[in-house]
Amino acid sequence: MHRWRHILLLLLLPILADAQVFSSKGRFSVEFDRGCNPMTVNITEYDSFGAVTRQYYYFEGAGITNNKTFTYQDAGIYQIVQIVGVDGIDDRSDTLFVEAFEPLVPDIQIQMCNGREVSITSQDTYYDSIRVYFTVSDSVTLLTSETAQFGYSNTSTQAIGLKGFFDNADEVCTAFFQEINPIPTLLAPNITNAAIKETCKDLFSLYLELDAIDTLTNYRINLTQGSTTRIYDGYIKQNSIVLSDIPFARADYCLNIEAFDPCNGTSTFSQDFCAESSDLSLSPFQSLYSSYGSSGIYINLDSVNRGTFNIYRRLEGEEFDFRSEQTSSFTDPIGSNGRKYYYRLDYVDSCGQILYTAETNPPLVDATKESTNQYLVIFSPPVNSLTDSPQNNYQTGNDFSQTENQIPSTEFSVQLDAKDGSPRQFVTVSSVYPDGTTLRSNSVTVRYQLVIYVPTAFTPNGDGLNDTLELFGLPTETATTNIYTRWGQLVYSSDIASPGWDGTINGSIGSEGTYLYEIIFETADGNKRMQKGTFTLIKK
């Protein structure tokens, strides 16, 4: 870091020169009439008027001053006007134009080479020349389109200094720095995946996935179908790229990546990535799937750089209706997550033709009641382009508590549990793929009938067996139990759920026979419910 402070000082040091630019009448001069802002002018006077006042306007609208030094902060063309304070001459003013330029980063092309070498080419048309400082002691001046190479001794991060120059101008332009990382060996990246898609009838695009790349390396992409065609020559800024309108026949093909070394004109090549014509999938629906979400149904679409997707949607048993036109993955708003939706998608190319059509739907469920708290669930697997088989799981419960089990078949029975006592519960399905992609189904509402178990009879005879009337299945401890004779007389009331009624009425065991019970209880969500019934008291 310290050595670059030294370079910065070197770049900022002015270079002494004897150049002088004179005013239109030769009465005063400045060292340079061009330079980068902030640009300072120092006036030297040459007239023979003797000891008279000389004043200056440094730009239009500025105040007059005796100061012979001025600094221009902004870029522009300025007129310096000198006014001589002497009588007896026809023209007391003299002028000189100067120009201040905005300091811009010089436009260069950096290319990496083998052996920690770097190639710098000037593409700059703003300055008359630029200077490239490879190190404190190694630099070169370049005109437009000129190239220079330099080799570093290690792979440490290097800061290349850049400075622009104007001919016959004050050398005060700002120094800029560009960091690079020299590489010991120029390597071509491997192709991790490639797909060719028909974006318009008989027009094709290449979708390419690469591993590690260097953004300063010149890469060339070659396509082989009988003969080899170079379809790209330049820099790659990210690992995923798309090349449009490539020359392509519907036949076997191979691809490779070439890393070009501008320092010696050689190349290194990646391994070939090849595909047979039988493996070609020109469809833009290679990663199509759909899933219910909190804001609608998400439709995952392939990346395409041309064309559009026309989206059609239907409810079960109805016809498809046009929904929208899309260019990428999107979420379709729906009215209810409980309804079952299906989609058809047409890929329309930029020529207005439908090239491909596909259908998709998320995993879907129905549920019909079989008996108290038992439902028959009918499961429809998702339809999509994913090739792996998912694990399908169903969930039952309410919003806050879900029980998950693997689906045994497309039709299966589910016995609802009490959960927290909430009567409204849900049945949903999730399809989980090996890569972690999870598709969620619609949500079917089912009703749980909360039933408190009360014995049909009990025997309060002190034998230790069935001596109290106990309650089972209360969702919370908040409950009131009232017991009445068959004629409606209240004989017992308690806010304690257990141990239950021991059969006593005013200190003695009640009469044998039928009694009525009333249980008022509170569910976990704070709602109050009531259950009524009968039981028999037996003394034997």
Side-chain angles (χ1 to χ4, degrees), residues 288-291 360-363 379-393 430-440:
L288 173 66
Y289 62 80
S290 51
S291 176
T360 182
N361 60 258
F379 165 60
S380 299
V383 173
N384 51 54
S385 300
L386 303 179
T387 56
D388 294 323
S389 297
Q391 177 175 306
N392 299 305
N393 304 312
S430 59
S431 297
V432 182
Y433 288 81
D435 66 354
T437 300
T438 300
L439 309 184
R440 306 195 182 280

Side-chain angles (χ1 to χ4, degrees), residues 184-385:
T185 304
L186 195 65
L187 298 176
N190 290 315
I191 300 173
T192 58
N193 194 24
I196 293 175
K197 298 177 183 178
E198 192 172 14
T199 53
C200 194
K201 187 171 178 59
D202 297 326
L203 293 177
F204 304 93
S205 292
L206 171 64
Y207 293 76
L208 207 57
E209 297 284 340
L210 307 174
D211 63 6
I213 61 171
D214 184 282
T215 58
L216 298 181
T217 294
N218 189 90
Y219 294 114
R220 296 169 174 177
I221 302 175
N222 303 305
L223 169 68
T224 300
Q225 285 187 298
S227 60
T228 298
T229 303
R230 180 170 296 154
I231 58 176
Y232 182 79
D233 189 348
Y235 297 100
I236 296 176
K237 299 301 181 183
Q238 55 189 16
N239 296 73
S240 300
I241 62 173
V242 179
L243 301 179
S244 302
D245 298 341
I246 65 170
F248 184 74
R250 300 173 189 266
D252 299 354
Y253 71 94
C254 289
L255 295 163
N256 66 41
I257 307 294
E258 174 186 350
F260 176 69
D261 187 337
C263 295
N264 55 31
T266 61
S267 296
T268 57
F269 293 84
S270 70
Q271 293 181 331
D272 284 349
F273 180 99
C274 298
E276 298 180 358
S277 56
S278 59
D279 297 329
L280 283 173
S281 178
L282 303 179
S283 166
F285 297 119
Q286 290 174 283
S287 58
L288 173 66
Y289 62 80
S290 51
S291 176
Y292 282 80
S294 59
S295 56
I297 297 178
Y298 173 74
I299 310 293
N300 191 77
L301 297 171
D302 290 14
S303 295
V304 291
N305 59 326
R306 292 187 179 180
T308 57
F309 297 98
N310 285 345
I311 314 299
Y312 298 83
R313 188 183 79 184
R314 73 175 179 88
L315 285 167
E316 188 172 41
E318 299 182 4
E319 299 295 324
F320 280 111
D321 289 325
F322 177 74
R323 187 68 181 157
S324 65
E325 182 181 283
Q326 301 289 335
T327 58
S328 60
S329 302
F330 74 105
T331 296
D332 182 32
I334 57 176
S336 168
N337 271 15
R339 309 180 78 179
K340 297 192 296 183
Y341 292 94
Y342 302 79
Y343 291 87
R344 190 189 81 220
L345 302 93
D346 294 337
Y347 175 70
V348 182
D349 67 22
S350 55
C351 306
Q353 302 179 82
I354 298 176
L355 287 184
Y356 299 94
T357 296
E359 294 192 11
T360 182
N361 60 258
L364 299 171
V365 288
D366 272 325
T368 57
K369 189 173 183 179
E370 292 183 309
S371 61
T372 301
N373 294 331
Q374 182 169 314
Y375 284 82
L376 175 65
V377 178
I378 301 173
F379 165 60
S380 299
V383 173
N384 51 54
S385 300

Side-chain angles (χ1 to χ4, degrees), residues 5-27:
R5 290 178 185 166
H6 298 321
I7 287 183
L8 179 60
L9 290 174
L10 288 172
L11 296 180
L12 295 179
L13 286 175
I15 299 177
L16 297 178
D18 296 328
Q20 292 289 315
V21 180
F22 284 87
S23 61
S24 59
K25 296 179 181 177
R27 294 175 182 173

Side-chain angles (χ1 to χ4, degrees), residues 494-510:
S494 175
D495 292 333
I496 301 175
S498 60
W501 185 41
D502 62 3
T504 60
I505 301 175
N506 297 324
S508 302
I509 300 298

Side-chain angles (χ1 to χ4, degrees), residues 27-256:
R27 294 175 182 173
F28 68 95
S29 72
V30 294
E31 296 95 335
F32 299 99
D33 61 350
R34 304 170 71 208
C36 291
N37 64 332
M39 185 181 80
T40 300
V41 293
N42 295 293
I43 291 178
T44 303
E45 298 169 341
Y46 292 95
D47 62 66
S48 57
F49 298 128
V52 297
T53 300
R54 297 167 184 82
Q55 295 180 305
Y56 297 91
Y57 294 97
Y58 284 99
F59 58 91
E60 184 177 356
I64 193 167
T65 178
N66 295 323
N67 199 329
K68 291 187 288 183
T69 297
F70 186 80
T71 299
Y72 293 97
Q73 300 293 338
D74 300 316
I77 297 175
Y78 301 96
Q79 183 182 38
I80 303 174
V81 179
Q82 182 196 62
I83 304 296
V84 178
V86 61
D87 296 328
I89 60 174
D90 294 333
D91 191 351
R92 298 167 56 192
S93 65
D94 195 0
T95 60
L96 174 69
F97 285 92
V98 296
E99 184 172 5
F101 294 88
E102 180 183 357
L104 301 180
V105 180
D107 184 9
I108 64 170
Q109 180 187 72
I110 302 177
Q111 292 180 279
M112 291 304 182
C113 306
N114 268 316
R116 298 182 292 275
E117 281 193 279
V118 61
S119 174
I120 306 292
T121 299
S122 173
Q123 298 177 318
D124 193 86
T125 56
Y126 183 70
Y127 297 102
D128 294 321
S129 64
I130 66 170
R131 191 148 191 88
V132 180
Y133 296 82
F134 295 105
T135 67
V136 175
S137 56
D138 298 287
S139 64
V140 63
T141 297
L142 298 177
L143 302 178
T144 303
S145 299
E146 288 187 336
T147 299
Q149 285 96 32
F150 185 80
Y152 290 95
S153 59
N154 56 61
T155 57
S156 300
T157 300
Q158 306 291 336
I160 294 176
L162 302 171
K163 190 174 182 181
F165 292 89
F166 296 106
D167 293 342
N168 302 316
D170 192 3
E171 298 181 9
V172 295
C173 293
T174 303
F176 299 92
F177 295 93
Q178 170 74 53
E179 285 193 348
I180 63 166
N181 292 289
I183 53 177
T185 304
L186 195 65
L187 298 176
N190 290 315
I191 300 173
T192 58
N193 194 24
I196 293 175
K197 298 177 183 178
E198 192 172 14
T199 53
C200 194
K201 187 171 178 59
D202 297 326
L203 293 177
F204 304 93
S205 292
L206 171 64
Y207 293 76
L208 207 57
E209 297 284 340
L210 307 174
D211 63 6
I213 61 171
D214 184 282
T215 58
L216 298 181
T217 294
N218 189 90
Y219 294 114
R220 296 169 174 177
I221 302 175
N222 303 305
L223 169 68
T224 300
Q225 285 187 298
S227 60
T228 298
T229 303
R230 180 170 296 154
I231 58 176
Y232 182 79
D233 189 348
Y235 297 100
I236 296 176
K237 299 301 181 183
Q238 55 189 16
N239 296 73
S240 300
I241 62 173
V242 179
L243 301 179
S244 302
D245 298 341
I246 65 170
F248 184 74
R250 300 173 189 266
D252 299 354
Y253 71 94
C254 289
L255 295 163
N256 66 41

Side-chain angles (χ1 to χ4, degrees), residues 458 467-471 481 483 492 494 496-503:
F458 80 114
D467 284 338
T468 58
L469 182 74
E470 296 189 52
L471 311 180
T481 303
I483 296 176
Y492 174 80
S494 175
I496 301 175
S498 60
W501 185 41
D502 62 3

Side-chain angles (χ1 to χ4, degrees), residues 405-536:
N405 302 278
Q406 189 167 349
I407 291 179
S409 62
T410 55
E411 293 188 13
F412 56 96
S413 293
V414 170
Q415 183 69 43
L416 301 183
D417 296 325
K419 302 301 176 189
D420 64 358
S422 175
R424 189 175 72 153
Q425 297 189 21
F426 304 93
V427 176
T428 60
V429 166
S430 59
S431 297
V432 182
Y433 288 81
D435 66 354
T437 300
T438 300
L439 309 184
R440 306 195 182 280
S441 77
N442 58 315
S443 180
V444 177
T445 301
V446 291
R447 293 286 173 178
Y448 174 77
Q449 183 178 347
L450 186 58
V451 178
I452 308 303
Y453 175 72
V454 180
T456 57
F458 80 114
T459 58
N461 55 14
D463 63 358
L465 299 173
N466 201 24
D467 284 338
T468 58
L469 182 74
E470 296 189 52
L471 311 180
F472 300 93
L474 282 169
T476 68
E477 292 296 319
T478 304
T480 298
T481 303
N482 297 320
I483 296 176
Y484 303 87
T485 66
R486 69 181 68 182
W487 299 283
Q489 179 185 2
L490 179 66
V491 295
Y492 174 80
S493 181
S494 175
D495 292 333
I496 301 175
S498 60
W501 185 41
D502 62 3
T504 60
I505 301 175
N506 297 324
S508 302
I509 300 298
S511 302
E512 282 192 338
T514 300
Y515 290 80
L516 308 176
Y517 72 84
E518 176 187 68
I519 306 170
I520 303 169
F521 60 93
E522 187 174 297
T523 64
D525 56 9
N527 292 319
K528 286 191 174 182
R529 304 194 181 280
M530 177 186 292
Q531 179 175 316
K532 294 181 178 182
T534 64
F535 64 90
T536 302

